[in-house]
Amino acid sequence: ENNSGESVATQAVCATTLEFVVPDEPVTKTIGTGNTTGRMPANMGSSYSVAQQIFTKEEIDFVPGAITKISFQASSTYTYTRLWTIYMVNVDKESFDGNNDWVSVTNADIVYDGTITTTGSGWLEINLQNSFIYTGNDIVLCVYDHTGSEQIFNFYTDSNTNQTLKYDSYYPISVDALNGYGSKYSSRSQFRFVIEAADELEPAIPTNLAAKANGDGTITLTWDAAENAMSYNVYSGEEQIGATNGTTY
């Protein structure tokens, strides 16, 4: 406490640094094979659609790094231009538990926002506007098609009943408010991506450290999430007194 009786945070919060042995060059990886077709990663046959797909760390099979390009294998041969917003999120989640088990996404998770143009069969390649920092976990890939018109187009997919959620509408969709809507879909995209590994992902310094007195002689610390951080060490002076994966201690 200070002279006015107010609680003062004397602890420091540090984000941990991750180190890995990695390849020197970008690597292209592909998940999924076969000739099954479906309407993933987006249902162009609906005016508006949103879909989330899970790709597990076992499938990704790579060290942390930056994903700079993603691709989906088209089976249709038509040329269309659509409006897509694409989100990517690191998660610890291998499947969806039910029809409304959506993973929350925010504007901070957007990796691409703009037009895509199908050019016939083959891989539809999308260079990400914001590289996705992959931390070694599972990934949720969320595509929101907000074109506002209907065009039939299919992609090559894998049969899968627990790793895809979708919702289609004639009206704009609030991607951050999907509770009560959605259904599992039996297909998941054949997915290709380019990842540039890094031997060290240096986290930013946590900011806006604040303390709140709890009335029982303890305080609660909060801070803003630091980019590239997976966990936080909490210090009192030079002594580490705890660690957490969240932004509260």
Side-chain angles (χ1 to χ4, degrees), residues 37-237:
T37 62
R39 296 184 182 179
M40 284 292 127
N43 180 11
M44 298 185 190
S46 181
S47 298
Y48 300 89
S49 70
V50 61
Q52 291 189 358
Q53 302 180 91
I54 295 174
F55 298 92
T56 68
K57 59 186 176 183
E58 288 79 14
E59 293 172 314
I60 297 167
D61 190 26
F62 203 73
V63 297
I67 294 178
T68 59
K69 179 189 290 187
I70 61 175
S71 306
F72 307 98
Q73 190 171 19
S75 62
S76 295
T77 58
Y78 311 110
T79 299
Y80 295 135
T81 297
R82 308 286 295 183
L83 292 172
W84 282 11
T85 301
I86 303 175
Y87 306 77
M88 295 180 72
V89 185
N90 290 289
V91 295
D92 183 14
K93 186 181 186 68
E94 295 185 351
S95 62
F96 293 110
D97 292 335
N99 290 334
N100 297 311
D101 190 24
W102 297 98
V103 171
S104 297
V105 296
T106 68
N107 288 344
D109 302 314
I110 294 175
V111 294
Y112 184 85
D113 186 19
T115 59
I116 63 97
T117 300
T118 62
T119 56
S121 59
W123 288 97
L124 171 63
E125 297 185 342
I126 301 171
N127 292 305
L128 301 184
Q129 297 160 338
N130 303 306
S131 296
F132 174 66
I133 303 302
Y134 174 60
T135 59
N137 293 349
D138 311 311
I139 288 177
V140 164
L141 173 72
C142 177
V143 176
Y144 175 34
D145 185 319
H146 46 100
T147 307
S149 61
E150 301 173 12
Q151 295 165 320
I152 303 300
F153 196 91
N154 290 327
F155 294 85
Y156 286 107
T157 59
D158 278 338
S159 296
N160 194 296
T161 57
N162 294 312
Q163 292 179 312
T164 301
L165 282 182
K166 74 177 187 72
Y167 175 61
D168 306 325
S169 177
Y170 290 109
Y171 306 101
I173 300 168
S174 296
V175 178
D176 58 350
L178 287 167
N179 289 340
Y181 301 95
S183 60
K184 288 185 180 181
Y185 188 60
S186 59
S187 296
R188 189 185 63 166
S189 296
Q190 293 184 21
F191 179 52
R192 188 169 73 182
F193 60 94
V194 175
I195 184 166
E196 298 179 359
D199 57 359
E200 185 173 324
L201 295 177
E202 186 71 31
I205 297 173
T207 56
N208 295 326
L209 175 65
K212 178 182 179 182
N214 297 321
D216 59 357
T218 65
I219 61 173
T220 296
L221 299 176
T222 60
W223 56 91
D224 290 344
E227 185 177 5
N228 297 340
M230 292 183 66
S231 62
Y232 302 87
N233 297 329
V234 182
Y235 290 83
S236 178

